[in-house]
Amino acid sequence: MGDLEVGYREHVAGAASALYEWLSSTTSEIEDEEDVRNRVYKYYVPVYEEVVARLRSHCARGRKPMVVGVSAPQGCGKTTLTRMIVDMVRSTPRRFIDGVSDGNVTAATVSMDDFYLTAEAQTALAESNPTNAMLQYRGNAGTHELELGTKTLDALAQINDAQSSISLPRYDKLARTGRGDRKPESEWDQVSAPIDVVLLEGWMLGFEPIEDEKARAINPDLVAVNEHLKSYKAALWGTERVAWWIIFKVQDPKWVYDWRLEAERKAGGGLSDEQVKDFVDRFIPAYDAYLPALYENPPPGSLVVVVDKYREVQMVSVVSNEHDT
């Protein structure tokens, strides 16, 4: 084992220990010491090391940032994972990636939520589809500004060659008493070259449209959503944009009801329990329609994270081919 690899192993051990200590002192939901240890060493660290391994291969092929798609049902932990992995990535000396460079690895995050329509545009969409419950609020395919998403991801893809800075759009879910609105451009995040890793996360990332009749059988409102979905892959997560995937796998998407309610309460949101249920009701048809295919045939090389009802990780594994999860 060379000096660089020894240094890297020491770095991982130190980062994991620091994360363990931080979680032990700040995470109220996890009181059992073994739970904290499992979360760090069986979850965050394996995912982080997979990111590093893939980044080493990616950087050897060029300067374009490596975009990782993170797909997971709402509330199951993808945002927390994204934040933790980004922090660990940013603490990684770049020499552990290419063997020579100074400084640390750089990372940026983008959420599908950041591409939601403005409140004005969402209101117009709802008014033009008055009988479609799935298009009344943000969330489903059709409620995003795909042009903004494409423009943002294209700018990130070129940021290193252009040695430029760009603004990443951000969305405020608590605006308008929980109905949400895009933040003004003056409040968008600025990122500058070089960027090594981009984590693109979203609840519907990787969904593939189904036949219209199948959509209609699940829910008539899903037909319009399914039609909108046909434009998403090319705009946001085609193979030319996303290098590889982290996919959260859950047994029952209806767990989202509890997870979404818990998240709303933590964020101090303006939605009542009844409003949260009404909100989640509008997503369940999409989960029923699209999750089975994503789980059965994830993109080759995907890292699949299996979580239970309590968001505890049961397994982390790499898909060896399109039929093996």
Side-chain angles (χ1 to χ4, degrees):
M1 184 180 293
D3 291 343
L4 273 176
E5 187 59 26
V6 170
Y8 171 65
R9 300 308 331 163
E10 292 176 348
H11 166 76
V12 173
S17 178
L19 180 58
Y20 171 78
E21 293 297 329
W22 181 81
L23 281 175
S24 297
S25 64
T26 62
T27 307
S28 59
E29 300 114 20
I30 306 177
E31 298 179 354
D32 184 83
E33 181 177 336
E34 189 63 24
D35 287 341
V36 180
R37 187 172 299 280
N38 286 338
R39 178 161 293 197
V40 171
Y41 292 98
K42 294 184 179 180
Y43 181 21
Y44 292 131
V45 169
V47 174
Y48 162 72
E49 291 203 89
E50 189 71 23
V51 172
V52 170
R54 307 266 186 140
L55 184 59
R56 286 171 173 167
S57 298
H58 181 88
C59 287
R61 298 193 295 269
R63 290 169 47 82
K64 184 178 179 181
M66 180 179 73
V67 179
V68 183
V70 183
S71 179
Q74 299 143 306
C76 77
K78 69 179 181 301
T79 301
T80 300
L81 169 74
T82 300
R83 183 174 68 250
M84 294 295 183
I85 296 305
V86 164
D87 287 347
M88 293 179 77
V89 166
R90 287 174 174 166
S91 74
T92 306
R94 193 183 297 271
R95 68 180 182 276
F96 294 148
I97 303 300
D98 63 12
V100 295
S101 296
D102 295 328
N104 284 0
V105 176
T106 56
T109 62
V110 182
S111 171
M112 284 284 293
D113 297 353
D114 296 324
F115 307 140
Y116 280 143
L117 297 171
T118 62
E120 181 180 3
Q122 178 59 53
T123 298
L125 175 69
E127 290 176 348
S128 63
N129 296 270
T131 63
N132 191 319
M134 297 181 69
L135 296 178
Q136 295 304 301
Y137 301 98
R138 68 177 192 266
N140 281 292
T143 66
H144 301 82
E145 186 178 328
L146 294 185
E147 184 178 354
L148 174 64
T150 299
K151 179 180 177 181
T152 300
L153 294 176
D154 284 349
L156 282 168
Q158 300 164 13
I159 193 170
N160 292 338
D161 288 334
Q163 288 295 301
S164 59
S165 297
I166 65 171
S167 296
L168 299 180
R170 294 303 187 220
Y171 191 88
D172 182 3
K173 293 182 179 180
L174 298 182
R176 301 191 309 136
T177 321
R179 293 294 296 268
D181 197 1
R182 188 181 302 160
K183 289 186 176 183
E185 290 192 32
S186 61
E187 297 180 22
W188 292 7
D189 291 347
Q190 287 286 129
V191 295
S192 301
I195 297 293
D196 299 308
V197 180
V198 176
L199 272 74
L200 171 65
E201 56 104 344
W203 74 275
M204 56 174 289
L205 226 67
F207 284 6
E208 295 276 2
I210 59 178
E211 296 177 2
D212 286 348
E213 286 308 307
K214 290 183 178 179
R216 194 183 311 279
I218 293 172
N219 188 308
D221 288 346
L222 189 62
V223 176
V225 170
N226 192 63
E227 185 63 32
H228 284 295
L229 183 60
K230 294 175 182 178
S231 302
Y232 273 62
K233 184 175 182 178
L236 301 177
W237 62 70
T239 54
E240 74 283 0
R241 300 190 189 282
V242 174
W244 63 284
W245 293 78
I246 299 172
I247 296 175
F248 284 68
K249 186 174 182 179
V250 301
Q251 179 181 347
D252 187 352
K254 290 183 176 60
W255 294 341
V256 171
Y257 285 106
D258 291 334
W259 293 339
R260 186 66 181 83
L261 182 60
E262 180 184 344
E264 185 73 15
R265 295 296 161 263
K266 283 185 179 179
L271 299 182
S272 67
D273 291 11
E274 293 76 15
Q275 288 172 321
V276 168
K277 182 182 183 305
D278 178 68
F279 186 77
V280 175
D281 281 345
R282 301 165 195 271
F283 296 97
I284 295 300
Y287 286 131
D288 290 341
Y290 307 121
L291 277 184
L294 181 64
Y295 291 165
E296 291 170 11
N297 191 23
S302 297
L303 188 70
V304 177
V305 179
V306 180
V307 297
D308 65 16
K309 183 177 181 179
Y310 306 100
R311 286 173 293 197
E312 293 299 327
V313 176
Q314 304 301 300
M315 182 187 303
V316 177
S317 61
V318 176
V319 176
S320 60
N321 59 60
E322 59 265 43
H323 301 295
D324 179 14
T325 59

